């Protein structure tokens, strides 16, 4: 019989050596993974950071007129003015057709989004233009302020109207809006009647449907030939769209998932101009993170109470009593008066109009 070689016996020293080799390999693999993740994270962060343009012209103009601005209240409440322009979306206007004040309470337990009608007649103050000239003060419709002297003039016009100090501002082109909608896979809306936009060759048929890209823009942007053709009915569609967008983002857990939130941030920042306090992904994410504690039911989306202006056909004026109550609540960081947003029944049907007719 051929003698069999006895099996090798693992001594304590050889067993320890093997474990050490395995630990070194695991550590090396983990280190490589960490470095790779760090490099990838750095690249993605740099991409987001490069998307955002810092609005230096607006900051310079606001510093020049700091003495005429409302005082900044104490506390951690945030007032962020959101302006939507369509200069690159196929309409060529330089006016801010959509202006919304986002208010986050100091304790982040409630928030509101207040739409300011573009056709609201207001006192536009003298403003410093990016070229260094001065505009004349005038009584005109609200969205002319942006055309006169950019975001700074819109901010100061809003502050003059409301007495609410704007802490930060974001300007997004409507092309960026389309990218955001596509990043979340589209938004379901209820189209009340046919909406046609010859510029894009798009017609939205009545009924519940998912809209993306230009279809979403047509839904929130078009007003001619829809209902009474007013800016206020268009704002109603915009508010419905915002509610559905917020619901979709929160229901799908987008804000808590890095793989989902990155495409959304990339889309949102691709056409974004911001002040220096909000011109980085870290600052925007910090804002989103702080807002995550606000329950969706605590977000109120309303329109500044307005009525048809008696002297300007197709234009509006603020309803003094309700408008003053709204701005007082915002200045004091208090919940908005319930009658300003309790306009829907349990099934989502409007119970009363958001504005009054003369």
């Amino acid at each position: 019989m051929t003698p069999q070689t006895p099996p090798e016996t693992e001594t304590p020293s050889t067993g320890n050596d093997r474990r050490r080799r395995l630990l070194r390999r695991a550590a090396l693999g983990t280190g490589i993974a960490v470095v790779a993740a760090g490099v990838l994270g750095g690249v993605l962060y740099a991409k987001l950071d490069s998307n955002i343009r810092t609005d230096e012209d607006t900051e310079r103009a606001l510093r020049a007129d700091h003495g005429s601005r409302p005082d900044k209240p104490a506390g951690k409440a945030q007032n962020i003015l959101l302006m939507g322009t369509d200069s690159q979306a196929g309409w060529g206007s330089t006016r801010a057709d959509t202006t919304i004040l986002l208010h986050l309470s100091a304790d982040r337990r409630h928030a509101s989004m207040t739409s300011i009608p573009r056709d609201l007649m207001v006192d536009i103050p003298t403003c410093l233009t990016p070229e260094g000239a001065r505009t004349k003060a005038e009584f005109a419709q609200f969205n002319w302020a942006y055309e006169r002297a950019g975001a700074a003039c819109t901010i100061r016009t809003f502050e003059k109207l409301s007495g609410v100090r704007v802490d930060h501002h974001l300007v997004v082109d409507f092309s960026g809006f389309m990218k955001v909608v596509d990043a979340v896979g589209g938004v379901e809306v209820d189209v009340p009647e046919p909406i046609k936009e010859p510029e894009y060759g798009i017609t939205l048929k009545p009924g519940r449907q998912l809209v993306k890209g230009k279809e979403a823009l047509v839904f929130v942007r078009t007003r001619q030939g829809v209902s009474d053709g007013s800016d206020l009915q268009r704002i109603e569609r915009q508010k419905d769209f915002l509610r559905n967008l917020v619901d979709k983002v929160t229901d799908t857990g987008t804000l808590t998932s890095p793989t989902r939130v990155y495409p959304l941030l990339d889309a949102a920042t691709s056409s974004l101009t911001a002040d220096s306090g909000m011109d980085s992904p870290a600052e925007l994410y910090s804002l989103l993170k702080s807002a995550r504690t606000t329950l969706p039911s605590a977000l109120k989306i309303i329109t500044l109470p307005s009525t048809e202006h008696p002297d300007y056909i197709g234009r509006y004026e603020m309803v003094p009593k309700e408008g003053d109550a709204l701005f007082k609540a915002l200045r004091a960081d208090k919940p908005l008066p319930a009658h300003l947003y309790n306009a829907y029944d349990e099934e989502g049907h409007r119970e009363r109009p958001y504005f009054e007719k003369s």
Side-chain angles (χ1 to χ4, degrees):
M1 296 178 64
T2 303
Q4 295 182 354
T5 303
E8 293 184 2
T9 302
E10 186 178 85
T11 65
S13 61
T14 58
N16 289 337
D17 289 343
R18 179 174 295 178
R19 282 191 290 273
R20 281 195 291 268
R21 287 196 299 271
L22 291 174
L23 287 172
R24 282 197 296 270
R25 290 171 183 171
L28 179 61
T30 301
I32 292 174
V34 169
V35 171
V39 171
L40 178 60
V43 170
L44 295 179
Y45 184 91
K47 172 66 167 58
L48 293 177
D49 195 43
S50 65
N51 283 347
I52 308 172
R53 295 178 294 278
T54 304
D55 197 352
E56 296 177 352
D57 289 339
T58 294
E59 293 192 335
R60 183 164 49 250
L62 291 177
R63 283 196 300 270
D65 290 318
H66 68 92
S68 61
R69 302 184 65 195
D71 293 333
K72 182 175 175 58
K76 296 182 179 180
Q78 291 281 299
N79 291 308
I80 304 162
L81 200 64
L82 312 175
M83 289 165 271
T85 68
D86 56 7
S87 59
Q88 298 175 24
W91 273 286
S93 172
T94 57
R95 298 174 184 173
D97 276 359
T98 299
T99 303
I100 299 172
L101 181 76
L102 170 62
H103 175 84
L104 300 176
S105 68
D107 59 12
R108 299 302 189 262
R109 292 185 178 179
H110 63 268
S112 63
M113 300 181 76
T114 303
S115 292
I116 309 300
R118 49 158 280 171
D119 294 336
L120 186 75
M121 298 300 293
V122 295
D123 289 312
I124 300 177
T126 177
C127 298
L128 184 68
T129 70
E131 296 75 26
R134 276 279 173 188
T135 64
K136 293 181 179 181
E138 61 182 321
F139 184 68
Q141 63 187 60
F142 182 78
N143 72 330
W144 283 21
Y146 193 93
E147 182 183 38
R148 296 293 188 261
C153 200
T154 297
I155 290 170
R156 293 194 53 239
T157 300
F158 172 78
E159 290 181 339
K160 184 176 179 64
L161 172 70
S162 65
V164 176
R165 172 73 174 234
V166 173
D167 300 300
H168 299 287
H169 72 277
L170 299 172
V171 182
V172 61
D173 188 272
F174 276 125
S175 60
F177 163 81
M178 291 188 285
K179 292 176 183 177
V180 169
V181 174
D182 289 345
V184 300
V187 174
E188 279 198 2
V189 297
D190 186 13
V191 181
E193 60 183 290
I195 300 177
K196 299 180 181 180
E197 180 45 64
E199 181 74 21
Y200 287 159
I202 291 176
T203 298
L204 299 179
K205 297 180 180 180
R208 192 77 180 172
Q209 56 197 276
L210 184 75
V211 293
K212 298 180 179 180
K214 290 184 177 180
E215 289 183 343
L217 183 59
V218 166
F219 179 81
V220 301
R221 178 66 177 78
T222 304
R223 65 172 180 165
Q224 299 298 327
V226 182
S227 187
D228 61 0
S230 71
D231 183 46
L232 292 175
Q233 60 82 20
R234 179 176 63 175
I235 287 177
E236 292 305 316
R237 278 185 279 121
Q238 291 175 349
K239 291 193 301 188
D240 288 339
F241 190 94
L242 282 173
R243 289 188 186 93
N244 294 335
L245 176 60
V246 170
D247 288 345
K248 183 161 188 178
V249 170
T250 54
D251 289 347
T252 56
T254 297
L255 298 181
T256 59
S257 169
T259 58
R260 291 178 180 176
V261 79
Y262 177 80
L264 179 60
L265 287 175
D266 186 37
T269 57
S270 63
S271 299
L272 189 66
T273 302
D275 63 83
S276 59
M278 297 197 70
D279 63 348
S280 74
E283 289 160 335
L284 288 175
Y285 184 72
S286 177
L287 177 69
L288 288 173
K289 186 177 179 181
S290 70
R292 276 197 324 220
T293 59
T294 305
L295 296 174
S297 60
L299 173 63
K300 308 305 179 185
I301 304 177
I302 69 170
T303 303
L304 175 66
S306 306
T307 184
E308 294 176 353
H309 200 290
D311 300 324
Y312 296 86
I313 298 175
R315 301 295 180 264
Y316 305 99
E317 63 180 357
M318 183 181 78
V319 178
K321 184 178 179 180
E322 292 191 350
D324 290 342
L326 167 63
F327 291 141
K328 181 179 179 180
L330 290 172
R331 290 193 298 268
D333 189 28
K334 300 293 185 182
L336 302 186
H339 71 278
L340 294 180
Y341 57 82
N342 283 344
Y344 286 85
D345 60 22
E346 293 181 357
E347 297 180 354
H349 300 300
R350 192 171 297 114
E351 294 178 327
R352 70 175 183 82
Y354 276 83
F355 67 99
E356 302 173 359
K357 289 190 174 182
S358 299

